[in-house]
Amino acid sequence: MEKQELDYVLVPLGIGLMVAYHFWLLFRVISQPTKTVIGINAINRRLWVRTMMKDFKNAVLAVQTFRNNIMVSTLMASTAITLSSLIAVLMTNGSLIHDSQTLFIGNKSDLNNSIKFFSILVCFLLAFLMNVQSIRYYSHANILINVPIAKNRAVAVNYVARALNRGGYFWSIGLRAYYFSFPLFLWVFGPIPMFVCCVVMVFVLYFLDVNTDGGGGEDQVWMDPDDDEGEC
């Protein structure tokens, strides 16, 4: 196999491995939420909203919590758009790319280099958009969580919890976009570092995403007994 052909083999394998892992994680979150960190966090966010809305004395704590979440999402969005601008500058200066690839094998054509940096740019733009959506839902929930509850208590609590969870989901997707940018960045230095990074990252993400304490018959322990919808 020629050195230039490594990009056509290792790069699709690495990206396919990352995509396959996240499809497996999505299925796991839907079917067995208590066996994933994302699922447990979603369930506990619903319980947290219910607790905050039961007593108006928790209003300050709830607002401070949302403020912290909004600040984190704002930082992530700002970082993503800054990195996007940096990648756009690098795309216009091809000499930097060729100088950095002298020690690595793989396809070094101008078209391939443009694809590499465009892929990284897409990841950062996706991270920016997801974090902006996260701020949107956090802002909605920040107002709604302090609305007085009348007869429609269950509807109000479920709606606020759903908004909070959507903000958390968008934040998680934005973070995953950052994760995808690491192997794509190493692709600049060749397909071998990119593929190795994909394999290592899948193992690291598995230990970060999988919960070994809950699951099985303990699923009901994490659920709110007053929650009629039973959704994350």
Side-chain angles (χ1 to χ4, degrees):
M1 181 182 298
E2 297 183 0
K3 296 179 179 179
Q4 289 78 6
E5 296 179 352
L6 288 176
D7 288 85
Y8 303 111
V9 177
L10 295 182
V11 174
L13 284 177
I15 295 177
L17 183 63
M18 291 280 290
V19 172
Y21 167 78
H22 283 89
F23 272 112
W24 171 85
L25 179 63
L26 177 62
F27 174 78
R28 189 89 164 185
V29 170
I30 296 175
S31 61
Q32 297 175 314
T34 58
K35 291 186 178 181
T36 64
V37 175
I38 295 176
I40 290 178
N41 288 341
I43 295 171
N44 285 326
R45 279 195 294 263
R46 295 180 66 85
L47 300 178
W48 179 82
V49 169
R50 189 177 297 277
T51 302
M52 292 296 104
M53 297 185 73
K54 280 183 178 179
D55 191 349
F56 190 75
K57 296 179 180 179
N58 296 323
V60 176
L61 175 60
V63 171
Q64 289 179 344
T65 303
F66 279 114
R67 181 192 62 184
N68 294 337
N69 289 335
I70 292 175
M71 289 177 61
V72 172
S73 296
T74 303
L75 175 62
M76 299 286 284
S78 301
T79 303
I81 199 64
T82 302
L83 292 174
S84 299
S85 302
L86 178 61
I87 294 300
V89 172
L90 292 177
M91 290 179 66
T92 61
N93 193 347
S95 60
L96 296 177
I97 316 301
H98 292 291
D99 294 340
S100 65
Q101 289 184 325
T102 55
L103 299 179
F104 299 94
I105 61 177
N107 192 335
K108 302 179 182 180
S109 64
D110 293 336
L111 176 60
N112 196 52
N113 290 333
S114 298
I115 294 175
K116 295 175 183 179
F117 278 86
F118 181 76
S119 301
I120 303 173
L121 180 62
V122 169
C123 284
F124 289 141
L125 289 177
L126 180 63
F128 171 75
L129 292 175
M130 293 300 102
N131 279 283
V132 168
Q133 288 296 317
S134 177
I135 295 173
R136 171 179 176 244
Y137 278 106
Y138 284 148
S139 298
H140 290 340
N142 186 33
I143 299 298
L144 295 173
I145 200 170
N146 290 320
V147 174
I149 302 175
K151 296 181 180 180
N152 60 341
R153 176 182 179 278
V155 176
V157 172
N158 289 333
Y159 184 84
V160 177
R162 192 178 301 115
L164 176 58
N165 269 337
R166 286 178 179 175
Y169 292 148
F170 276 114
W171 185 86
S172 296
I173 296 175
L175 189 61
R176 300 286 157 168
Y178 275 102
Y179 291 157
F180 267 91
S181 69
F182 282 102
L184 292 177
F185 175 76
L186 290 181
W187 187 19
V188 175
F189 303 99
I192 296 179
M194 184 268 186
F195 179 75
V196 173
C197 181
C198 287
V199 175
V200 173
M201 184 159 290
V202 166
F203 279 102
V204 172
L205 290 177
Y206 176 82
F207 288 105
L208 293 177
D209 293 330
V210 174
N211 173 52
T212 58
D213 296 330
E218 301 177 1
D219 285 7
Q220 196 64 27
V221 176
W222 294 91
M223 302 302 296
D224 187 353
D226 298 329
D227 189 359
D228 296 331
E229 295 185 5
E231 63 180 29
C232 297

